[in-house]
Amino acid sequence: MPVTFDRARMARDLREGLSEQPRRIPPKYFYDEQGSRLFDEITRLPEYYPTRAERGLLIRWSRTIIEMAKPRTLVELGAGSADKTRTLLDEMLRTVPEGATYLPVDVSAGFLAQSAAQLRDEYPSLRVSPVAADFSTHFALPAHPAPALHAFLGSTIGNVTPDDAVALVSSVRERMEPGDYFLLGIDLRKDVTLIEKAYNDSRGVTAQFNRNMLSVINSCLGANFNASAFDHSAIYNEREHRIEMRLIARGRQSVVIPDVGDFTFADGDWILTEVSYKYDRDLANDVLARSGLVLREWFTDDAGLFALALSSR
Ligand code: AVJ
């Protein structure tokens, strides 16, 4: 599915991000077609535990979650391929005799249409109404049967600071009616070596994924980054409890980005491409509470790798 970024928006984001100290580029620009393919490959890497851990939790706890929330509608933010969601949908369809409604929310309309068609095919009794929207903004949901379960999986919440997470969850809460639930998938704090390995895989897929961002900018804006002259780095910041992904210039680099500017990178200069916050129960509870939600259940695996937080108003 071809991904079309808004070029004016990208230029604006780059003008802003590259004039900051440290220089940074928003992680959404990882995900063109190639980037999405690379991320998919990451989720299957032996070192990348989050996807497997979350899937395991969903398999183990979907029944309990659906029994508690009794949803007639599943709203999924950043729906992607709706792969892990099938566990929730299966359980919903088993327990909701009057049929279930699925509202996948994603920025990519083309991707949404494709996965909606696939799901309608797989689940003839499921009503699928895709919503093309940027879930980090305020948007309205179409009318749907109550109650709803709003799901935000994959630990995507980790890409923003806890303060920005509060803003994001608050906007979810604004779309929630009394009786609705919110299911949040979050990666947990753990042994630093294990976390760093997940972002420094032995096959170098994460490094490719990181560098791909420069190719995305080259092809969208006609910039001339030499992506292969930037080294991948992913280091855990223990004070901030977050992974920081960087692209580090190997040797001096001059780059022209049309509509953005001319930039030079000295040897060792870097761009911050992603942060990935790791949570504990206290931080999750705090973010939810500050967003006007109450943590009702906390599901985690024995190794404490990942958690599903179920909350309501
Ligand atoms: C999609 C944001 C959850 O932070 O682990 C994976 C993205 N970056 N490897 C994460 C990612 C490098 C991922 N999230």
Side-chain angles (χ1 to χ4, degrees), residues 243-255:
I243 276 283
E244 295 173 357
M245 289 229 304
R246 296 176 186 166
L247 286 167
I248 308 177
R250 202 176 342 94
R252 183 189 158 84
Q253 307 292 324
S254 296
V255 184

Side-chain angles (χ1 to χ4, degrees), residues 30-31 39 42 48 50 154-156 159 198-199 206 209 245 274-276 278:
F30 283 133
Y31 302 96
F39 179 68
I42 287 173
Y48 193 76
S155 201
T156 307
N159 268 179
Y199 296 84
T206 311
F209 171 76
M245 289 229 304
E274 180 174 53
V275 292
S276 188
K278 305 309 171 191

Side-chain angles (χ1 to χ4, degrees), residues 267-283:
D267 181 42
D269 278 359
W270 47 271
I271 305 168
L272 182 67
T273 52
E274 180 174 53
V275 292
S276 188
Y277 280 85
K278 305 309 171 191
Y279 278 66
D280 59 13
R281 189 180 172 147
D282 282 350
L283 179 58

Side-chain angles (χ1 to χ4, degrees), residues 164-177:
D164 288 347
V166 170
L168 207 155
V169 176
S170 297
S171 73
V172 174
R173 139 103 214 203
E174 276 171 30
R175 286 185 296 269
M176 287 169 69
E177 301 293 333

